[in-house]
Amino acid sequence: MEKLFQKIDDIPNIEDLVFRINKSLYAHKINKTVTIQSPEYNFYEMIDEFIKANPHPVWNGLSLKSGLIFVLGKDKAQGLHIDGFRADRSGASNYALNIPIRNTGIGSMDWYGEAPYRLEVQQIADATVMGRKTNSNKYLKLEWDGEPKLIASVTIKDPHLVRIDVPHQAINLCKEKPRVMLSIRFTPDLKWL
């Protein structure tokens, strides 16, 4: 079976980045998915400065490309999808570095396969940029020709490299709190360590 995730250890000062992101999320009362590029919040600059100040093999020689602070409501499952903006995935990353921010230990990230599928571009209905809902965030919804099967699952309590070009979803089993995950992409694309 192909590798779909890898735990990443020893990221220096990762707790500081998580603290700073959490502090900003609370200060801005953010409870929806936001892109790190939203100029209102300065997440891109915060993460880019962190990466430059904390060398690590996972991003050695790479530049921060994009990302999301993904908020999944309590007791919710994200729809199965593949990350990207176009059905041909031109220019899309195949890997992301997922860094747990809040409440990620009660649920999972799951990958599916073993059935053919087609990709359809979808808008993220509840994404927020500059305090407004936006349709600028897209993902690729799957139209299956058959019944997909669960092929891998992981609970992300520590930073992980994850495949985002394989059908996947996040699940939050907590009935009291949303799940918050930082998911960042790099250029050139990330690779397994």
Side-chain angles (χ1 to χ4, degrees), residues 163-186:
R163 290 280 301 272
I164 55 176
D165 63 333
V166 173
H168 64 280
Q169 70 178 3
I171 297 174
N172 180 11
L173 296 175
C174 181
K175 297 184 185 314
E176 294 83 33
K177 299 176 184 174
R179 174 187 187 268
V180 182
M181 182 76 69
L182 170 63
S183 185
I184 53 179
R185 289 93 167 114
F186 291 81

Side-chain angles (χ1 to χ4, degrees), residues 77 92 103 121 137 166:
N103 196 43
V121 175
N137 295 316
V166 173

Side-chain angles (χ1 to χ4, degrees), residues 87-103:
D88 65 3
R89 294 197 74 250
S90 175
S93 298
N94 294 326
Y95 302 87
L97 176 61
N98 281 7
I99 299 172
I101 301 299
R102 195 182 318 144
N103 196 43

Side-chain angles (χ1 to χ4, degrees), residues 105-116:
I106 305 172
S108 59
M109 183 170 179
D110 300 336
W111 288 266
Y112 286 79
E114 298 188 21

Side-chain angles (χ1 to χ4, degrees), residues 3-9 58 95-98 111 154 156 158-163 191-193:
K3 191 174 190 176
L4 298 172
F5 60 88
Q6 176 184 357
K7 182 180 172 192
I8 302 298
D9 292 315
V58 76
Y95 302 87
L97 176 61
N98 281 7
W111 288 266
V154 64
I156 300 179
D158 301 292
H160 276 69
L161 283 178
V162 296
R163 290 280 301 272
K191 304 241 185 289
W192 301 124
L193 294 182

Side-chain angles (χ1 to χ4, degrees), residues 114-118 142-148:
E114 298 188 21
Y117 58 83
R118 294 175 310 285
L142 298 150
E143 293 293 330
W144 293 93
D145 295 324
E147 190 64 33

Side-chain angles (χ1 to χ4, degrees), residues 123-140:
Q123 305 291 335
I124 298 174
D126 63 353
T128 302
V129 176
M130 307 272 310
R132 285 183 251 137
K133 285 187 179 182
T134 179
N135 288 331
S136 63
N137 295 316
K138 300 175 187 175
Y139 72 97
L140 297 173

